Amino acid sequence: MKKNIKNKLNNLKASDNYRVRRAKDSGNSHIFRFKGNDYLSFASNDYLSLANDVRIVESAKKALDIHGYSVSSSALISGYSRSHMLLEEELSNFLGQEKTLLYSTGYQANLGVIKSLASRGSFIFADQLNHASLIDGSILSRANFKRYEHKDVKELESLLNKCPDSREKLIISDSLFSMDGDFAELKELEQSLKKYEAKLLIDEAHSLGVFGYQGRGLVFEYLLNKNENIFLTGTFGKSLGTFGAFFSGNSDIVDYVMQKSRGYIYSTSLPIHTIEATRASLKIIEEEDWRRDKLFSLIRYFKNCIKKSNLTVLESDSHIQALLIGSSADAIFFSDELMKRGIYLPAIRPPTVEEGKSRLRISLTVDHEEKDIDYLINILDMISQNLVQ
Ligand SMILES: Cc1ncc(COP(=O)(O)O)c(C=O)c1O
């Protein structure tokens, strides 16, 4: 057994897919402080640069003083507070949904929701590039699991066509794909849903806070919140700059998931200070359009600069821009060279992305400036030219 694991570790190292962690001193958004040095980071999901916002931190501190650290129980026993209830209500209003259930993490939410809504005999149809938690939830549910080519609604419909009418059908997709930065065809998915009497679960992890009116996400933007067969999950660990996650939808479906979801029922509820931090963040997100305006302007600037460089990124209109490198070894080379020049941007490798599609996933955040983008692109251009020579 021990030898077997050693062999597996050695194989990972040999394939350049062995992962290491770098223990940062501090930093979110555009800064990664490591061993006493500040690196310019393009590797954070703190898209709106809120993780260090004093208003959010103060809300958490205040709640810590009153409530202590833990709620010491799952929500259904004694871990559900007035703060939890208020955040659920506020999120429901924000998203235009009837009801919301808080989860500790987005990973847990996706596992819990999918396992509650699909079982042996049901059919799940999933985009090939869905997040790992959506894939794992689908496998765990034991439903018939069908994956369609990325954004290929025609293939989705041909799979739906082959599915017996009597079976429950659940379509699952990210709204903004985390490693490519492109959007799902939500309007087309809604059409398929109607045609085949299916339900649709959308993961808004990367779009919430950034897209849609006041950052309400893409389900809201496309008025899909009006459809009772469409529901969503999301996390607070990205643009909200806090921690935790949720499931939102019509009253009955959320109520049902609460009754059934083992990840909800058998897990300690979120601490009250993280809830109060998220409530403060939600208010800021609603009120401060300038953050989205700045981020959209940086996205436009980045795309313009890339066009003028020798680099090509995957087609994306979002704050996630992916520079496809190819082999894991080359992606690590790029990342190491960037680090030598003060930029933190780790290589994204299999199994997060397909073999041969290792990349640098560039995350833009509100605290970046145009000069940061200039510097990144200049250095990337230089490294890529040296690699070719
Ligand atoms: C699309 C997507 N869904 C869910 C998650 C999981 O969220 P959390 O970090 O809260 O577990 C992530 C995080 O990486 C994600 O990218």
Side-chain angles (χ1 to χ4, degrees):
M1 171 75 176
K2 198 169 165 200
K3 194 159 173 236
N4 197 6
I5 292 291
K6 267 257 179 285
N7 286 343
K8 287 181 181 175
L9 282 169
N10 286 337
N11 288 343
L12 280 173
K13 284 176 187 165
S15 65
D16 294 306
N17 289 325
Y18 180 77
R19 312 214 175 192
V20 290
R21 296 168 297 172
R22 288 195 176 100
K24 66 179 173 186
D25 305 333
S26 64
N28 285 303
S29 183
H30 66 311
I31 301 281
F32 187 84
R33 183 164 298 154
F34 180 61
K35 294 189 176 167
N37 295 315
D38 273 354
Y39 290 83
L40 172 62
S41 171
F42 289 92
S44 169
N45 296 323
D46 183 17
Y47 306 126
L48 296 178
S49 302
L50 285 173
N52 287 67
D53 189 284
V54 285
R55 294 164 290 182
I56 294 174
V57 174
E58 284 306 317
S59 300
K61 281 184 186 165
K62 219 161 114 189
L64 261 176
D65 285 343
I66 299 169
H67 301 285
Y69 203 91
S70 175
V71 289
S72 314
S73 166
S74 66
L76 295 180
I77 304 296
S78 65
Y80 186 66
S81 71
R82 207 177 125 69
S83 293
H84 290 75
M85 185 185 79
L86 289 173
L87 176 58
E88 286 179 349
E89 287 171 7
E90 286 156 6
L91 264 172
S92 298
N93 287 335
F94 182 68
L95 300 166
Q97 298 287 349
E98 285 178 9
K99 200 165 174 171
T100 295
L101 193 64
L102 299 177
Y103 272 89
S104 295
T105 69
Y107 187 92
Q108 209 174 337
N110 283 335
L111 252 59
V113 169
I114 297 170
K115 175 105 177 65
S116 305
L117 298 181
S119 55
R120 220 189 277 277
S122 325
F123 278 72
I124 290 177
F125 304 90
D127 189 290
Q128 199 99 46
L129 293 192
N130 276 354
H131 186 257
S133 55
L134 297 171
I135 297 171
D136 295 355
S138 303
I139 294 169
L140 196 67
S141 74
R142 301 188 188 185
N144 298 286
F145 182 32
K146 310 281 178 197
R147 295 172 81 182
Y148 55 91
E149 281 290 321
H150 183 44
K151 292 173 50 163
D152 188 344
V153 179
K154 266 208 186 100
E155 194 195 352
L156 164 66
E157 292 213 348
S158 106
L159 291 169
L160 280 162
N161 223 352
K162 289 183 201 139
C163 175
D165 285 348
S166 59
R167 298 299 182 89
E168 278 188 316
K169 306 170 193 72
L170 177 64
I171 304 168
I172 303 178
S173 179
D174 288 19
S175 57
L176 168 54
F177 290 91
S178 54
M179 292 300 140
D180 284 32
D182 56 345
F183 302 108
E185 305 290 353
L186 290 185
K187 273 304 207 190
E188 289 185 29
L189 289 180
E190 187 192 27
Q191 291 308 315
S192 310
L193 185 82
K194 277 188 194 145
K195 247 196 265 178
Y196 294 93
E197 293 185 12
K199 296 191 186 325
L200 174 62
L201 172 64
I202 297 291
D203 183 336
E204 291 257 56
H206 295 273
S207 40
L208 195 72
V210 177
F211 292 98
Y213 173 64
Q214 294 180 320
R216 292 164 198 249
L218 292 165
V219 167
F220 187 92
E221 177 73 359
Y222 290 111
L223 302 177
L224 304 183
N225 57 315
K226 307 280 178 211
N227 185 328
E228 64 166 27
N229 290 315
I230 300 179
F231 14 89
L232 66 145
T233 50
T235 173
F236 306 137
K238 302 193 193 294
S239 61
L240 276 94
T242 63
F243 185 80
F246 69 91
F247 170 59
S248 254
N250 73 65
S251 241
D252 284 347
I253 202 126
V254 176
D255 208 14
Y256 183 72
V257 166
M258 190 179 90
Q259 309 303 319
K260 287 286 175 190
S261 172
R262 295 165 73 86
Y264 185 75
I265 300 169
Y266 301 110
S267 184
T268 302
S269 185
L270 283 168
I272 295 175
H273 61 281
T274 69
I275 299 286
E276 286 302 324
T278 303
R279 292 184 67 206
S281 174
L282 198 59
K283 243 192 234 150
I284 296 171
I285 283 187
E286 222 173 318
E287 287 166 2
E288 298 191 351
D289 272 335
W290 69 264
R291 291 181 185 274
R292 281 174 285 280
D293 294 343
K294 164 118 192 254
L295 193 55
F296 296 145
S297 145
L298 289 171
I299 297 167
R300 281 192 299 274
Y301 186 77
F302 179 92
K303 287 180 59 125
N304 257 331
C305 294
I306 278 286
K307 243 190 254 159
K308 291 182 206 146
S309 75
N310 296 306
L311 306 161
T312 39
V313 289
L314 297 184
E315 185 56 43
S316 155
D317 287 321
S318 76
H319 46 288
I320 299 170
Q321 299 283 332
L323 180 69
L324 211 55
I325 306 284
S327 75
S328 296
D330 283 350
I332 291 172
F333 175 77
F334 263 85
S335 173
D336 288 347
E337 290 297 307
L338 286 166
M339 191 113 186
K340 285 179 202 162
R341 291 163 180 86
I343 296 175
Y344 184 66
L345 186 49
I348 304 287
R349 293 167 284 157
T352 306
V353 291
E354 231 179 284
E355 202 67 57
K357 290 194 175 172
S358 289
R359 65 195 64 190
L360 297 176
R361 174 191 182 270
I362 300 161
S363 290
L364 299 173
T365 73
V366 165
D367 278 350
H368 282 118
E369 298 298 341
E370 291 182 354
K371 66 174 173 34
D372 299 331
I373 292 174
D374 292 339
Y375 184 61
L376 171 71
I377 292 180
N378 280 340
I379 301 284
L380 282 172
D381 228 348
M382 194 188 75
I383 300 170
S384 74
Q385 284 178 30
N386 286 346
L387 198 68
V388 171
Q389 278 161 13

